Amino acid sequence: MKLDPTDIRYLSSEEFRVLTAVEMGSKNHEVVPTSLISQTSKLRSGGINKILGGLAKRGLVSRVQNVKYDGYRLTYGGYDYLAIRAMSKRDTVTAIGNQIGVGKESDIYVVSNAEGEELVLKLHRLGRISFRAIKTKRDYLGKRKSATWMYMSRLAAQKEWAFMKVLHEHGFPVPKPIDQARHCILMELIDAYPLRQISDHPSPGTLYSSLMDLIVRFAHSGLIHGDFNEFNILIKRETGEPIVIDFPQMVSTRHPNAEWYFNRDVECIRTFFKRRFKYESLLWPKFTSTLREGVEKEKGDGDDEGFRLDVVVAASGFGNKDQEELEKARFLEMSKQEEEWRSRNSGDESESGESDEMEGDEEVAHSDESPAKDEEGEHTKEDEEPEASEDGEAPGDEQESDDSRDTDSLSERDVPKSQHRSNSKKKVAPDVKDAVSSELARQKARQQKRHHSKKSVGKAGRVGGSKLKADKRIKIGIKDGWD
């Protein structure tokens, strides 16, 4: 659908209020009932019908006569008006010009802001006949099972806005993002033309190497463009530098098909240069070697290029499991730093603690003089009357064991407190995962034993059959009677 902005200046605030109510009702209804629209907009029912009729004539909503109820559905024209009105309130869009581009999933227009500066407005329009397999090929839905095309267009715009903003902040050759509302993205206008329009180039080798360097630079940051071809590359008119556009399909280097996407981007550039400029190079980047270089750069210099941008923008392929692994790695690094810090400060703590412990040992020695004398008296009596033990051990062995106990107690006293603390820290904590799994297994076994046991369930009422059959006593004989 082509954008027709002529009627946007004539719409009243009430009409925009009704459009917003239809948009809010579309979250839970495919066809929004008229009663729900009036309830959401908080306008009179008579006025609602008149406003809806006017919006339907302009093509902003479409009426659907259902079997159970009558309602309306929001069109792309009404969605465009809501997005442009949101930007006009922020003074980022004040005038709309001509259409400069049409893609399989978007329309491009020239607009201007309050200062008269020309900008580019991109409107995502998913659901066209030539591009309807997007629900299975891209992860716009996430965990959702279904969604409308307008809602998916909004998700695509949000994803592209996030990628463009992060890439521009880190110095990548991308357009400067300015504003985003619903399914529309506002960016700067660059004086450039697409690569597919170039028929001849003075140095195709230089351009080829710069484009391959861009692919490698994306991969070092943890991203793969996914659609790196002559349609999504602009060449500046003055300098000849390449500018990359169209980012909704970007994936992480941890994506299961990351190598295939990377090789496809490289092959697109190679085939284009071979077909258009008759230039074929013997050098091109490989996926494994590129990732290896990126890891080495992260460990080495620590520049911004080594920072993984897929973590920041949550590119597809970087899920919750990868985030948990990243948090575990950060926790291990922090624990190593803490251990190093403790090992450095352990010498100072031991020196300061030895003086305090020496004074405490002297006090303990004075207080233990009397029991030591009593023990000596007992030992003398035992020496005068030596007796063999029942186990056949000599009395000297018991004395040696007592002496060993005393030496052990003295050795424990002489050890400084810092060593006790370090020994206590060396104790390995029990595995929490095994404990939790064993406890869950026990609970599951209890539930199975409770609900799936073979015990008979007592039935209310009389037992089936006659009384003689129901009697469980043993029958001895007819004459003898019952036992």
Side-chain angles (χ1 to χ4, degrees), residues 418-429:
S418 61
Q419 295 184 7
H420 285 295
R421 292 173 183 169
S422 61
N423 293 331
S424 63
K425 288 176 183 177
K426 290 181 181 178
K427 294 181 181 178
V428 181

mmCIF file with all atom_site columns, all heavy atoms in Angstrom, residues 418-429:
data_model
loop_
_atom_site.group_PDB
_atom_site.id
_atom_site.type_symbol
_atom_site.label_atom_id
_atom_site.label_alt_id
_atom_site.label_comp_id
_atom_site.label_asym_id
_atom_site.label_entity_id
_atom_site.label_seq_id
_atom_site.pdbx_PDB_ins_code
_atom_site.Cartn_x
_atom_site.Cartn_y
_atom_site.Cartn_z
_atom_site.occupancy
_atom_site.B_iso_or_equiv
_atom_site.pdbx_formal_charge
_atom_site.auth_seq_id
_atom_site.auth_comp_id
_atom_site.auth_asym_id
_atom_site.auth_atom_id
_atom_site.pdbx_PDB_model_num
ATOM 1  N N   . SER A 1 418 ? 44.755 -17.290 60.832 1.00 0.00 ? 418 SER A N   1
ATOM 2  C CA  . SER A 1 418 ? 44.621 -17.125 59.384 1.00 0.00 ? 418 SER A CA  1
ATOM 3  C C   . SER A 1 418 ? 44.686 -18.469 58.672 1.00 0.00 ? 418 SER A C   1
ATOM 4  O O   . SER A 1 418 ? 43.989 -18.711 57.697 1.00 0.00 ? 418 SER A O   1
ATOM 5  C CB  . SER A 1 418 ? 45.728 -16.202 58.869 1.00 0.00 ? 418 SER A CB  1
ATOM 6  O OG  . SER A 1 418 ? 47.002 -16.771 59.142 1.00 0.00 ? 418 SER A OG  1
ATOM 7  N N   . GLN A 1 419 ? 45.559 -19.418 59.224 1.00 0.00 ? 419 GLN A N   1
ATOM 8  C CA  . GLN A 1 419 ? 45.642 -20.727 58.602 1.00 0.00 ? 419 GLN A CA  1
ATOM 9  C C   . GLN A 1 419 ? 44.360 -21.511 58.812 1.00 0.00 ? 419 GLN A C   1
ATOM 10 O O   . GLN A 1 419 ? 43.915 -22.259 57.953 1.00 0.00 ? 419 GLN A O   1
ATOM 11 C CB  . GLN A 1 419 ? 46.831 -21.488 59.141 1.00 0.00 ? 419 GLN A CB  1
ATOM 12 C CG  . GLN A 1 419 ? 48.172 -20.852 58.772 1.00 0.00 ? 419 GLN A CG  1
ATOM 13 C CD  . GLN A 1 419 ? 49.341 -21.688 59.248 1.00 0.00 ? 419 GLN A CD  1
ATOM 14 O OE1 . GLN A 1 419 ? 49.147 -22.797 59.736 1.00 0.00 ? 419 GLN A OE1 1
ATOM 15 N NE2 . GLN A 1 419 ? 50.540 -21.148 59.106 1.00 0.00 ? 419 GLN A NE2 1
ATOM 16 N N   . HIS A 1 420 ? 43.762 -21.380 60.027 1.00 0.00 ? 420 HIS A N   1
ATOM 17 C CA  . HIS A 1 420 ? 42.475 -22.036 60.271 1.00 0.00 ? 420 HIS A CA  1
ATOM 18 C C   . HIS A 1 420 ? 41.436 -21.546 59.276 1.00 0.00 ? 420 HIS A C   1
ATOM 19 O O   . HIS A 1 420 ? 40.639 -22.320 58.761 1.00 0.00 ? 420 HIS A O   1
ATOM 20 C CB  . HIS A 1 420 ? 42.010 -21.758 61.702 1.00 0.00 ? 420 HIS A CB  1
ATOM 21 C CG  . HIS A 1 420 ? 42.780 -22.582 62.722 1.00 0.00 ? 420 HIS A CG  1
ATOM 22 N ND1 . HIS A 1 420 ? 42.706 -23.948 62.768 1.00 0.00 ? 420 HIS A ND1 1
ATOM 23 C CD2 . HIS A 1 420 ? 43.619 -22.181 63.712 1.00 0.00 ? 420 HIS A CD2 1
ATOM 24 C CE1 . HIS A 1 420 ? 43.484 -24.400 63.766 1.00 0.00 ? 420 HIS A CE1 1
ATOM 25 N NE2 . HIS A 1 420 ? 44.039 -23.340 64.352 1.00 0.00 ? 420 HIS A NE2 1
ATOM 26 N N   . ARG A 1 421 ? 41.424 -20.249 59.040 1.00 0.00 ? 421 ARG A N   1
ATOM 27 C CA  . ARG A 1 421 ? 40.441 -19.704 58.105 1.00 0.00 ? 421 ARG A CA  1
ATOM 28 C C   . ARG A 1 421 ? 40.680 -20.223 56.697 1.00 0.00 ? 421 ARG A C   1
ATOM 29 O O   . ARG A 1 421 ? 39.746 -20.572 55.981 1.00 0.00 ? 421 ARG A O   1
ATOM 30 C CB  . ARG A 1 421 ? 40.531 -18.179 58.093 1.00 0.00 ? 421 ARG A CB  1
ATOM 31 C CG  . ARG A 1 421 ? 40.079 -17.556 59.396 1.00 0.00 ? 421 ARG A CG  1
ATOM 32 C CD  . ARG A 1 421 ? 40.353 -16.076 59.397 1.00 0.00 ? 421 ARG A CD  1
ATOM 33 N NE  . ARG A 1 421 ? 40.006 -15.461 60.664 1.00 0.00 ? 421 ARG A NE  1
ATOM 34 C CZ  . ARG A 1 421 ? 40.335 -14.218 61.000 1.00 0.00 ? 421 ARG A CZ  1
ATOM 35 N NH1 . ARG A 1 421 ? 41.016 -13.465 60.147 1.00 0.00 ? 421 ARG A NH1 1
ATOM 36 N NH2 . ARG A 1 421 ? 39.987 -13.727 62.182 1.00 0.00 ? 421 ARG A NH2 1
ATOM 37 N N   . SER A 1 422 ? 41.959 -20.287 56.293 1.00 0.00 ? 422 SER A N   1
ATOM 38 C CA  . SER A 1 422 ? 42.249 -20.769 54.940 1.00 0.00 ? 422 SER A CA  1
ATOM 39 C C   . SER A 1 422 ? 41.867 -22.230 54.799 1.00 0.00 ? 422 SER A C   1
ATOM 40 O O   . SER A 1 422 ? 41.360 -22.658 53.757 1.00 0.00 ? 422 SER A O   1
ATOM 41 C CB  . SER A 1 422 ? 43.729 -20.583 54.636 1.00 0.00 ? 422 SER A CB  1
ATOM 42 O OG  . SER A 1 422 ? 44.511 -21.337 55.547 1.00 0.00 ? 422 SER A OG  1
ATOM 43 N N   . ASN A 1 423 ? 42.090 -23.056 55.889 1.00 0.00 ? 423 ASN A N   1
ATOM 44 C CA  . ASN A 1 423 ? 41.709 -24.462 55.802 1.00 0.00 ? 423 ASN A CA  1
ATOM 45 C C   . ASN A 1 423 ? 40.205 -24.622 55.707 1.00 0.00 ? 423 ASN A C   1
ATOM 46 O O   . ASN A 1 423 ? 39.695 -25.496 55.007 1.00 0.00 ? 423 ASN A O   1
ATOM 47 C CB  . ASN A 1 423 ? 42.232 -25.216 57.019 1.00 0.00 ? 423 ASN A CB  1
ATOM 48 C CG  . ASN A 1 423 ? 43.759 -25.293 57.019 1.00 0.00 ? 423 ASN A CG  1
ATOM 49 O OD1 . ASN A 1 423 ? 44.367 -25.291 55.951 1.00 0.00 ? 423 ASN A OD1 1
ATOM 50 N ND2 . ASN A 1 423 ? 44.368 -25.350 58.192 1.00 0.00 ? 423 ASN A ND2 1
ATOM 51 N N   . SER A 1 424 ? 39.467 -23.772 56.462 1.00 0.00 ? 424 SER A N   1
ATOM 52 C CA  . SER A 1 424 ? 38.011 -23.855 56.391 1.00 0.00 ? 424 SER A CA  1
ATOM 53 C C   . SER A 1 424 ? 37.502 -23.450 55.018 1.00 0.00 ? 424 SER A C   1
ATOM 54 O O   . SER A 1 424 ? 36.490 -23.954 54.547 1.00 0.00 ? 424 SER A O   1
ATOM 55 C CB  . SER A 1 424 ? 37.383 -22.960 57.460 1.00 0.00 ? 424 SER A CB  1
ATOM 56 O OG  . SER A 1 424 ? 37.717 -21.611 57.212 1.00 0.00 ? 424 SER A OG  1
ATOM 57 N N   . LYS A 1 425 ? 38.183 -22.520 54.343 1.00 0.00 ? 425 LYS A N   1
ATOM 58 C CA  . LYS A 1 425 ? 37.747 -22.096 53.019 1.00 0.00 ? 425 LYS A CA  1
ATOM 59 C C   . LYS A 1 425 ? 38.031 -23.156 51.975 1.00 0.00 ? 425 LYS A C   1
ATOM 60 O O   . LYS A 1 425 ? 37.378 -23.206 50.949 1.00 0.00 ? 425 LYS A O   1
ATOM 61 C CB  . LYS A 1 425 ? 38.444 -20.800 52.618 1.00 0.00 ? 425 LYS A CB  1
ATOM 62 C CG  . LYS A 1 425 ? 37.938 -19.605 53.393 1.00 0.00 ? 425 LYS A CG  1
ATOM 63 C CD  . LYS A 1 425 ? 38.717 -18.377 53.019 1.00 0.00 ? 425 LYS A CD  1
ATOM 64 C CE  . LYS A 1 425 ? 38.271 -17.182 53.847 1.00 0.00 ? 425 LYS A CE  1
ATOM 65 N NZ  . LYS A 1 425 ? 39.072 -15.993 53.545 1.00 0.00 ? 425 LYS A NZ  1
ATOM 66 N N   . LYS A 1 426 ? 39.021 -24.042 52.235 1.00 0.00 ? 426 LYS A N   1
ATOM 67 C CA  . LYS A 1 426 ? 39.367 -25.059 51.260 1.00 0.00 ? 426 LYS A CA  1
ATOM 68 C C   . LYS A 1 426 ? 38.344 -26.184 51.211 1.00 0.00 ? 426 LYS A C   1
ATOM 69 O O   . LYS A 1 426 ? 38.381 -27.005 50.317 1.00 0.00 ? 426 LYS A O   1
ATOM 70 C CB  . LYS A 1 426 ? 40.735 -25.642 51.576 1.00 0.00 ? 426 LYS A CB  1
ATOM 71 C CG  . LYS A 1 426 ? 41.880 -24.659 51.313 1.00 0.00 ? 426 LYS A CG  1
ATOM 72 C CD  . LYS A 1 426 ? 43.198 -25.288 51.626 1.00 0.00 ? 426 LYS A CD  1
ATOM 73 C CE  . LYS A 1 426 ? 44.353 -24.305 51.403 1.00 0.00 ? 426 LYS A CE  1
ATOM 74 N NZ  . LYS A 1 426 ? 45.648 -24.898 51.751 1.00 0.00 ? 426 LYS A NZ  1
ATOM 75 N N   . LYS A 1 427 ? 37.437 -26.246 52.187 1.00 0.00 ? 427 LYS A N   1
ATOM 76 C CA  . LYS A 1 427 ? 36.408 -27.282 52.171 1.00 0.00 ? 427 LYS A CA  1
ATOM 77 C C   . LYS A 1 427 ? 35.503 -27.074 50.974 1.00 0.00 ? 427 LYS A C   1
ATOM 78 O O   . LYS A 1 427 ? 34.996 -26.001 50.738 1.00 0.00 ? 427 LYS A O   1
ATOM 79 C CB  . LYS A 1 427 ? 35.591 -27.232 53.462 1.00 0.00 ? 427 LYS A CB  1
ATOM 80 C CG  . LYS A 1 427 ? 36.414 -27.591 54.690 1.00 0.00 ? 427 LYS A CG  1
ATOM 81 C CD  . LYS A 1 427 ? 35.551 -27.542 55.928 1.00 0.00 ? 427 LYS A CD  1
ATOM 82 C CE  . LYS A 1 427 ? 36.370 -27.888 57.175 1.00 0.00 ? 427 LYS A CE  1
ATOM 83 N NZ  . LYS A 1 427 ? 35.552 -27.810 58.394 1.00 0.00 ? 427 LYS A NZ  1
ATOM 84 N N   . VAL A 1 428 ? 35.293 -28.153 50.241 1.00 0.00 ? 428 VAL A N   1
ATOM 85 C CA  . VAL A 1 428 ? 34.488 -28.074 49.032 1.00 0.00 ? 428 VAL A CA  1
ATOM 86 C C   . VAL A 1 428 ? 33.022 -28.106 49.408 1.00 0.00 ? 428 VAL A C   1
ATOM 87 O O   . VAL A 1 428 ? 32.586 -28.977 50.160 1.00 0.00 ? 428 VAL A O   1
ATOM 88 C CB  . VAL A 1 428 ? 34.827 -29.243 48.081 1.00 0.00 ? 428 VAL A CB  1
ATOM 89 C CG1 . VAL A 1 428 ? 33.999 -29.155 46.816 1.00 0.00 ? 428 VAL A CG1 1
ATOM 90 C CG2 . VAL A 1 428 ? 36.314 -29.231 47.758 1.00 0.00 ? 428 VAL A CG2 1
ATOM 91 N N   . ALA A 1 429 ? 32.252 -27.168 48.901 1.00 0.00 ? 429 ALA A N   1
ATOM 92 C CA  . ALA A 1 429 ? 30.816 -27.125 49.171 1.00 0.00 ? 429 ALA A CA  1
ATOM 93 C C   . ALA A 1 429 ? 30.123 -28.238 48.401 1.00 0.00 ? 429 ALA A C   1
ATOM 94 O O   . ALA A 1 429 ? 30.549 -28.635 47.322 1.00 0.00 ? 429 ALA A O   1
ATOM 95 C CB  . ALA A 1 429 ? 30.235 -25.770 48.765 1.00 0.00 ? 429 ALA A CB  1
#
